[in-house]
């Protein structure tokens, strides 16, 4: 029972404290007795001075800051209570946040190191930038504001600043730059002080993607810093980055986010050089809506094996993103090399060959992640904070000195997301599947949603378009996703196309002659600009996420509609177009379904369709996929337009979406409900996107089941439709088939990944094949979207159609064989929802807790439906209703 509003938050990130811009939005969860239409009162004080109030506001989500805009550095305490005309309701506990240093108030200069002998991207050292200053009177409080074009770590008098990693983070640096604010009060002392930063290439000008191209955000690194020191006597001193700072050789002699980091602790401090001032161009400084990247967990190795003299293989038991922490560096001069990977071969050797990249007809680009440290008189702990790796295994090589293997831990590093969803059931394999899919998301939530933490580390739009509806069931990803969407907007091409990945360090928007530009604008990828905001709106009820992406999504859909109108797949060029053909999106590039199970050749070797015949793959007709997505995005756009009050656009896009659906049917659907493509993926897509008319849905679903059975009860879906496969089967009445696939143990299947030792979801269905050979990335989350089914169907917890922010709930367990109970929870914007069901003595017992401001429909497997109010619910019904009584079940 919550007697007052609780869980007060603002829509911003921060590290040691929440940090806002000038107009944060306020959210809280209603107390248990709150009605859905409750009115609230807000009270706040700024730097200890109360603001006028209380202010009456409606709603409890994303409430606009009701006072005048805030100013740099202000510290706010606020609280909320339900407004009542009769008696004074209790106030919530207070919540606190601080305003960042707003762009207009920055007075510090941008400073840049003098790069001498540039060894090129991937091999550049970090630079130590520092200043000394004197504190002459006692300090009451101090805040450090910092940002960089590059990647920085900061110290005050040798003490680490904050807990965030990889600052200032991954953004489209030409348009968006975030700063970080930290409390450094405890590190200052009266007298001489030193503020120092290590600055390296990071995302700004380090390596990007599978082919290790240089990021092109800029060629010169920059740092901008302000330290605001408030003294006990009420005065303030500000230390700024300026021409008095110095640059020195860092002990970080090589640092790259992809390749790794080398540290030489024997390096003697070089003579200080001056810095360059004001030589970089940077966008306005802003404050990120996302939580920071942090070390979220330390893991001991599960096993350690000395594989040869001076070579140890550490297995941390979990594929994750992060680095190794080494607290035994050996005597001065000892060299320790750490190689990272996600696979050891049958001989037990670390192998990364499956992560090498190859373009058809070109030599492979070899993959490696290597850290090195040379022990010296300073420091006794190595933590490579200027890089990040995807790994389960580390091979540590050290000759001439022993290694204390107990001194090695895995530091798991990713965005510190708040968990919102749990799931458990009586089938341990499914629990394990849930766990490994969740780890895949964690391993790829490194400031932006990446495809893999190894080969590419790029935030491919398609991958997150697919996984976002699952991510929202696991963590609060609103701020994380909004931050990423801003980058997607930043990188949008002038013609409306969405870049393949964002941040796009290669800046395809400025290189339209690049071959990759021709491969930009794919269905299922670019559609992320519509699908992800929509998912966030439904899950969190944040309308701003729709309005801030509206222009970008319109430009994207208009570009796609234009392509449909003006370009035709060459197979259709032989006849005069029929009117419907102007709505088929088949004349421009699509990735297609992507990564379906591979066919095998006569020798049993998997065939890669792109490598085998790149031109045929490139030219293949993918209009079925393109047109289906064009329909879905246009239909979603119509709904978004209606919500945002764009009535004309709503009507126009609804009409167009209907025409696209008709065109899809005319081109790809036969009168008997089968599709021209006749693949599992095509049926799943068409059924889940509502493209099959009602009277043909049964026939289409029957054909899908036939294809699954013909494949020996195996799926043959890839990236785009795997997540929808099981929901589609259940929703068309094929629950048994859905569970047969889910519980299938032979490849391709999810449980086969587990049988072959997966600790994260693989990119390729047979990421480790029967012979124990690895292929492609072993940490790619898209196929893990299946675990959404565990929440929506196995547990049976989902939102009612049309509901937002979990105001209207459906609880409809769909038990499968061997599942006798399931329980799960979802921390929704209304509060915590829990569901717990079990089968006992032929009866289904369902218990649930519902927060205030919700209503629920509970559907038992026998078809009985019950309505539930906020509070506790518990009831049981026979598992199967005797058919003779079925009609009386209501
Ligand atoms: C791969 C990436 C990504 C996918 C694209 C099309 O190289 O790993 O997952 O979205 O290609």
């Amino acid at each position: 029972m919550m007697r007052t509003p609780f869980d007060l938050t603002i829509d911003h990130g921060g590290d040691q404290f929440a940090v806002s811009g000038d107009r944060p939005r306020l959210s809280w969860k209603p107390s248990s007795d709150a009605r859905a239409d409750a009115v609230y009162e807000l009270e706040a004080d700024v730097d200890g001075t109360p603001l006028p109030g209380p202010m009456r506001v409606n709603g409890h989500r994303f409430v606009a800051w009701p006072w005048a805009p805030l100013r740099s550095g202000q510290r706010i305490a606020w609280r909320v209570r339900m407004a009542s005309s009769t008696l004074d309701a209790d106030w919530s506990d207070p919540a606190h946040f601080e305003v960042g240093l707003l762009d207009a108030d920055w007075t510090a200069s941008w400073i840049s190191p003098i790069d001498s002998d540039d060894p090129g991207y991937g091999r550049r050292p970090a630079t130590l930038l520092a200043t000394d200053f004197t504190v002459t009177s006692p300090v009451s409080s101090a805040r450090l504001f910092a940002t960089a074009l590059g990647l920085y770590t900061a110290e005050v008098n040798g003490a680490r600043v904050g807990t965030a990693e990889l600052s200032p983070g991954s953004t489209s640096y030409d348009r968006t730059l975030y700063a970080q604010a930290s409390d450094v009060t405890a590190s200052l002392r009266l007298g001489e002080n030193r503020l120092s930063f290590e600055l390296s290439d990071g995302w700004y000008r380090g390596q990007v993607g599978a082919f290790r191209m240089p990021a092109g955000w800029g060629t010169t690194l920059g740092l901008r810093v302000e330290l605001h020191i408030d003294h006990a006597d009420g005065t303030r001193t500000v230390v700024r980055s300026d021409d008095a700072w110095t640059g020195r050789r860092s002990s970080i002699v090589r640092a790259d986010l992809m390749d790794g980091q080398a540290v030489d602790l024997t390096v003697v401090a070089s003579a200080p050089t001056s810095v360059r001032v004001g030589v970089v161009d940077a966008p306005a400084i802003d404050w990120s809506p996302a939580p920071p990247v942090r070390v979220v967990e330390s893991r001991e190795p599960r096993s350690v094996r000395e594989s040869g003299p001076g070579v140890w293989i550490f297995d941390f038991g979990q594929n994750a993103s992060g680095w190794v922490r080494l607290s035994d560096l050996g005597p001065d001069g000892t060299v320790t090399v750490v190689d990272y990977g996600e696979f050891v071969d049958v001989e037990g050797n670390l192998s990364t060959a499956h992560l090498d990249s190859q373009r058809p007809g070109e030599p492979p680009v070899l993959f490696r992640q290597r850290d090195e440290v040379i022990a010296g008189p300073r420091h006794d702990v190595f933590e490579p904070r200027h890089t990040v790796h995807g790994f389960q295994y580390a091979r540590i090589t050290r000759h001439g000195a022993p290694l204390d293997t107990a001194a090695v831990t895995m530091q798991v590093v990713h965005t510190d997301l708040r968990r919102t969803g749990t799931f458990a059931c009586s089938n341990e394999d499914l629990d394990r599947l849930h766990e490994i899919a969740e780890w895949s998301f964690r391993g790829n939530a490194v400031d932006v949603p990446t495809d893999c933490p190894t080969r590419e580390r790029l935030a491919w739009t398609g991958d997150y378009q697919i996984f976002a509806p699952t991510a929202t069931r696991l963590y609060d990803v609103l701020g994380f996703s909004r931050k990423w969407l801003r980058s997607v907007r930043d990188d949008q091409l002038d013609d409306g196309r969405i870049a393949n990945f964002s941040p796009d360090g290669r800046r395809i928007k400025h290189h339209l002659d690049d071959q990759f530009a021709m491969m930009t604008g794919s269905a299922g990828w670019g559609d992320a600009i519509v699908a992800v905001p929509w998912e966030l709106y439904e899950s969190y009820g944040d309308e701003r996420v729709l309005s801030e992406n509206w222009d970008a999504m319109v430009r994207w859909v208009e570009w796609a509609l234009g392509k449909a109108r003006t370009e035709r797949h060459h197979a259709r060029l032989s006849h005069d177009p029929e009117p419907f053909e102007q709505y088929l999106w088949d004349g421009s590039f699509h990735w297609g379904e992507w990564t379906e199970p591979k066919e095998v050749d006569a020798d049993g070797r998997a065939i890669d369709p792109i490598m085998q015949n790149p031109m045929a793959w490139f030219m293949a007709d993918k209009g079925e996929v393109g047109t289906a997505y064009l329909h879905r995005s246009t239909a979603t756009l119509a709904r978004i337009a209606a919500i945002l009050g764009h009535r004309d656009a709503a009507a126009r896009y609804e009409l167009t979406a209907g025409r696209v659906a008709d065109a899809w049917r005319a081109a790809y659907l036969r009168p008997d409900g089968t599709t021209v493509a006749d693949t599992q993926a095509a049926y799943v897509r068409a059924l889940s996107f509502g493209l099959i008319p009602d009277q043909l849905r049964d026939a289409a679903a029957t054909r899908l089941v036939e294809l699954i059975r013909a494949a020996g009860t195996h799926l043959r879906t890839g990236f785009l439709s795997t997540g929808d496969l099981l929901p589609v089967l259940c929703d068309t009445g094929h629950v048994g088939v859905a569970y047969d696939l889910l519980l299938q143990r032979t490849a391709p299947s999810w449980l086969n990944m587990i049988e072959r030792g997966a600790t994260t979801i693989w990119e390729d269905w047979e990421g480790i094949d029967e012979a124990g050979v690895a292929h492609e990335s072993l940490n790619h989350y898209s196929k893990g979207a299946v675990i959404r089914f565990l929440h929506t169907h196995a547990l049976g917890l989902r939102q009612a159609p049309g509901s937002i922010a979990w105001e209207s709930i459906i609880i409809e367990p769909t038990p499968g064989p061997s599942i006798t109970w399931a329980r799960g929870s979802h921390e929704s914007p209304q509060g915590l929802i829990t569901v717990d069901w079990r089968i006992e003595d032929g009866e289904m017992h369902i218990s649930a807790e519902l927060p205030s401001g919700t209503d629920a429909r509970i559907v038992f497997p026998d078809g009985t439906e019950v309505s539930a109010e906020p509070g506790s619910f518990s009831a049981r019904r026979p598992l199967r209703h005797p058919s003779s009584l079925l009609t009386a079940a209501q």
Side-chain angles (χ1 to χ4, degrees):
M1 283 293 282
M2 300 308 292
R3 286 189 48 254
T4 61
F6 63 103
D7 209 2
L8 280 60
T9 53
I10 60 166
D11 62 337
H12 273 81
D15 176 13
Q16 299 146 312
F17 43 86
V19 183
S20 78
D22 65 346
R23 266 171 281 213
R25 293 182 298 159
L26 309 173
S27 301
W28 55 91
K29 298 203 175 120
S31 56
S32 316
D33 57 345
R35 290 169 32 150
D37 58 357
V39 175
Y40 292 90
E41 288 180 339
L42 290 172
E43 229 176 45
D45 70 63
V46 172
D47 296 331
T49 307
L51 289 172
M55 299 291 252
R56 278 173 91 85
V57 295
N58 291 316
H60 65 95
R61 294 189 302 258
F62 313 109
V63 172
W65 179 249
W67 290 281
L70 291 161
R71 290 197 302 276
S72 287
Q74 289 182 320
R75 298 183 193 177
I76 290 84
W78 64 286
R79 57 184 191 163
V80 57
R81 69 176 176 186
M82 234 183 333
S84 156
S85 49
T86 46
L87 77 174
D88 281 348
D90 289 336
W91 286 102
S92 69
D93 289 338
H96 301 88
F97 66 90
E98 298 188 16
V99 184
L101 183 58
L102 302 175
D103 185 63
D105 296 327
W106 281 75
T107 52
S109 304
W110 276 101
I111 57 170
S112 300
I114 297 171
D115 285 328
S116 46
D117 324 323
D118 182 357
Y121 66 93
R123 291 182 292 276
R124 295 189 182 113
T127 305
L128 189 65
L129 295 165
T131 193
D132 296 319
F133 58 95
T134 313
V135 174
T136 49
S137 81
V139 174
S140 59
S141 168
R143 293 289 182 265
L144 180 70
F145 303 104
T147 188
L149 301 172
L151 189 155
Y152 76 83
T153 48
E155 291 183 355
V156 173
N157 296 324
R160 179 186 169 167
V161 170
T163 69
E165 301 290 357
L166 309 180
S167 298
S170 177
T171 85
S172 301
Y173 281 97
D174 59 339
R175 301 218 164 124
T176 299
L177 181 64
Y178 298 114
Q180 289 69 44
S182 310
D183 180 355
V184 294
T185 318
S187 306
L188 291 176
R189 53 187 179 226
L190 278 176
E192 281 308 295
N193 289 266
R194 162 159 281 229
L195 179 55
S196 58
F197 285 73
E198 303 259 21
L199 182 65
S200 66
D201 280 6
W203 284 285
Y204 186 72
R205 60 164 206 186
Q207 298 186 83
V208 177
F211 299 97
R212 311 242 161 167
M213 317 283 280
W217 298 114
T219 51
T220 305
L221 300 186
L223 179 73
R224 200 176 189 198
V225 178
E226 289 199 19
L227 171 59
H228 290 206
I229 306 169
D230 290 330
H231 300 279
D233 61 8
T235 58
R236 170 173 286 183
T237 317
V238 180
V239 179
R240 303 174 176 85
S241 47
D242 59 18
D243 58 2
W245 284 51
T246 57
R248 279 189 169 83
R249 190 189 308 147
S250 161
S251 59
I252 301 173
V253 294
R254 169 176 66 80
D256 182 78
L257 279 168
M258 296 197 75
D259 265 8
Q261 175 174 332
V263 174
D264 182 352
L265 298 171
T266 64
V267 164
V268 269
S270 61
T273 58
S274 55
V275 293
R276 295 193 288 162
V277 175
V279 293
V280 292
D281 278 332
I285 289 174
D286 209 341
W287 297 90
S288 171
V293 172
R294 287 195 174 108
V295 173
V296 293
E297 192 178 321
S298 296
R299 294 176 74 92
E300 302 296 322
R302 193 177 63 180
S303 68
V304 185
R305 193 172 54 82
E306 196 162 355
S307 67
V311 183
W312 293 263
I313 303 280
F314 288 74
D315 175 1
F316 295 96
Q318 179 58 57
N319 201 3
S321 89
W323 53 66
V324 147
R325 179 179 193 276
L326 197 60
S327 56
D328 156 36
L329 303 188
D332 289 7
T334 304
V335 179
T336 309
V337 178
V338 188
D339 287 294
Y340 297 82
E342 52 177 3
F343 178 68
V344 289
D345 63 19
V346 277
E347 270 101 47
N349 297 318
L350 184 80
S351 167
T352 55
H354 61 293
L355 295 166
D356 296 346
S357 293
Q358 194 159 18
R359 287 202 181 96
E362 289 181 18
V365 175
L366 297 187
F367 178 82
R368 78 169 199 172
Q369 308 174 119
R370 171 174 288 187
D371 294 341
E372 290 163 274
V373 55
I374 303 176
R378 297 171 297 122
H379 302 287
D380 54 355
V381 175
F382 171 70
E383 259 201 274
R385 297 178 54 218
H386 286 250
T387 188
V388 63
H389 308 296
F391 71 109
Q392 172 171 345
Y393 305 94
R395 181 181 61 213
I396 301 193
T397 310
R398 176 185 291 178
H399 298 295
L403 174 73
D404 174 7
T405 56
V408 181
T409 53
M410 171 194 242
Q411 306 287 77
V412 178
V413 180
H414 56 72
T415 298
D416 198 356
L417 297 166
R418 167 168 156 172
R419 173 181 288 283
T420 51
T422 62
F423 171 83
C425 73
S426 57
N427 184 315
E428 285 174 11
D429 289 332
L430 296 183
D431 288 352
R432 179 71 185 136
L433 175 62
H434 193 274
E435 195 175 13
I436 73 167
E438 202 175 288
W439 269 107
S440 253
F441 180 57
R442 291 177 59 180
N444 281 298
V446 184
D447 211 34
V448 287
T450 59
D451 60 336
C452 55
T454 47
R455 187 189 64 214
E456 299 185 38
R457 296 133 184 241
L458 296 172
W460 283 84
T461 48
D463 303 45
Y464 202 50
Q465 185 272 124
I466 294 158
F467 199 79
T470 309
T472 55
R473 298 303 297 257
L474 304 174
Y475 294 97
D476 177 354
V477 292
L478 179 61
F480 170 77
S481 306
R482 278 184 68 208
K483 167 179 173 288
W484 177 69
L485 284 165
R486 174 161 171 179
S487 181
V488 174
R489 298 196 300 276
D490 286 347
D491 294 342
Q492 187 167 23
L493 281 63
D494 284 345
D495 61 12
R497 275 182 294 167
I498 294 294
N500 273 313
F501 42 78
S502 279
D504 175 14
R506 289 172 61 187
R507 306 177 76 187
I508 281 299
K509 64 187 172 202
H510 295 318
H511 302 286
L512 298 180
D513 50 345
D514 191 304
Q515 194 196 1
F516 200 54
M518 264 168 43
M519 301 169 81
T520 297
S522 167
W525 272 256
D527 294 292
I529 193 64
V530 184
V532 175
W534 180 249
E535 171 60 30
L536 299 175
Y537 172 69
E538 282 195 314
S539 294
Y540 304 108
D542 185 2
E543 216 174 283
R544 183 176 293 178
V545 84
L546 300 180
S547 56
E548 66 195 2
N549 289 293
W550 169 252
D551 285 343
M553 58 178 90
V554 167
R555 290 174 57 212
W556 161 252
V557 171
E558 289 294 346
W559 175 81
L561 286 167
K563 281 286 143 187
R565 215 165 32 241
T566 56
E567 289 184 24
R568 304 171 73 201
H569 188 259
H570 59 84
R572 286 198 293 122
L573 289 177
S574 56
H575 64 268
D576 286 337
E578 295 196 48
F580 76 84
E581 291 186 48
Q582 62 180 306
Y583 294 104
L584 297 181
W585 187 16
D586 63 355
S588 58
F589 172 79
H590 295 302
W591 296 104
E593 171 67 13
W594 198 246
T595 69
E596 289 149 293
K598 292 196 175 94
E599 306 291 341
V600 288
D601 65 14
D603 303 325
R605 274 194 304 263
I607 306 170
D608 181 331
I610 304 182
M611 286 301 183
Q612 195 198 31
N613 189 343
M615 202 33 93
W617 172 81
F618 188 81
M619 300 297 281
D621 183 355
K622 305 188 185 87
E624 168 264 311
V625 182
T627 310
Y629 272 92
L630 185 59
H631 165 71
R632 195 184 69 167
S633 284
T634 312
T636 308
L637 202 56
R639 296 175 76 177
I640 294 172
I643 292 161
L644 296 178
H646 306 312
R647 287 176 52 196
D648 291 351
R652 197 171 65 247
Y653 287 122
E654 197 184 323
L655 195 73
T656 308
R659 299 228 163 106
V660 178
D662 289 343
W664 187 93
R665 290 170 189 143
Y668 307 118
L669 186 64
R670 299 200 188 94
D672 65 354
T674 60
T675 65
V676 171
D678 203 34
T679 60
Q680 292 187 22
Y683 288 104
V684 172
R685 192 165 15 257
L687 286 161
S688 64
F689 289 6
L691 286 163
I692 311 270
D694 286 351
Q695 70 278 11
L696 293 179
R697 280 180 70 85
D698 281 352
T702 303
R703 179 63 188 150
L704 169 61
V705 170
E706 261 171 41
L707 291 171
I708 292 167
R709 294 300 187 202
T713 310
H714 287 101
L715 47 73
R716 300 209 59 78
T717 51
F719 246 53
L720 291 180
S721 56
T722 291
D724 292 327
L725 174 60
L726 303 188
V728 155
L729 285 168
C730 279
D731 298 348
T732 53
H734 301 284
V735 176
V737 187
Y739 275 100
D740 286 351
L741 285 180
L742 181 60
L743 300 172
Q744 174 62 267
R745 306 197 81 88
T746 57
S749 72
W750 297 281
L751 294 193
N752 186 263
M753 291 189 195
I754 293 175
E755 297 236 314
R756 292 183 187 169
T759 62
T760 43
I761 299 288
W762 299 335
E763 177 176 19
D764 190 290
W765 278 113
E766 297 204 56
I768 298 178
D769 68 19
E770 220 173 341
V773 177
H775 304 275
E776 316 294 346
S777 136
L778 301 182
N779 195 355
H780 243 73
Y781 51 55
S782 83
K783 287 165 179 148
V786 66
I787 65 166
R788 183 166 204 274
F789 171 85
L790 298 177
H791 292 258
T792 57
H793 287 71
L795 179 67
L797 174 61
R798 54 182 182 261
Q799 286 200 76
S803 162
I804 60 155
W806 291 85
E807 287 174 346
S808 204
I809 297 162
I810 294 183
I811 298 173
E812 184 178 7
T814 308
S818 82
I819 308 184
T820 53
W821 61 262
R823 64 169 171 267
S825 61
H826 183 68
E827 181 67 59
S828 80
Q830 303 300 126
L832 185 66
I833 306 164
T834 64
V835 177
D836 192 331
W837 65 254
R838 62 185 193 283
I839 296 170
E840 239 169 48
D841 306 327
E843 288 190 318
M844 161 71 77
H845 300 236
I846 303 179
S847 308
E849 291 289 336
L850 303 171
S852 64
T854 61
D855 58 61
R857 193 154 61 85
I858 322 273
V859 186
F860 285 82
D862 68 346
T864 321
E865 288 195 20
V866 188
S867 302
E869 303 284 310
S872 303
F873 170 88
S874 182
R876 61 169 102 166
R877 295 284 184 280
L879 200 52
R880 305 254 169 274
H881 206 280
S883 51
S884 56
L885 296 179
L886 207 54
T887 48
Q890 308 300 312

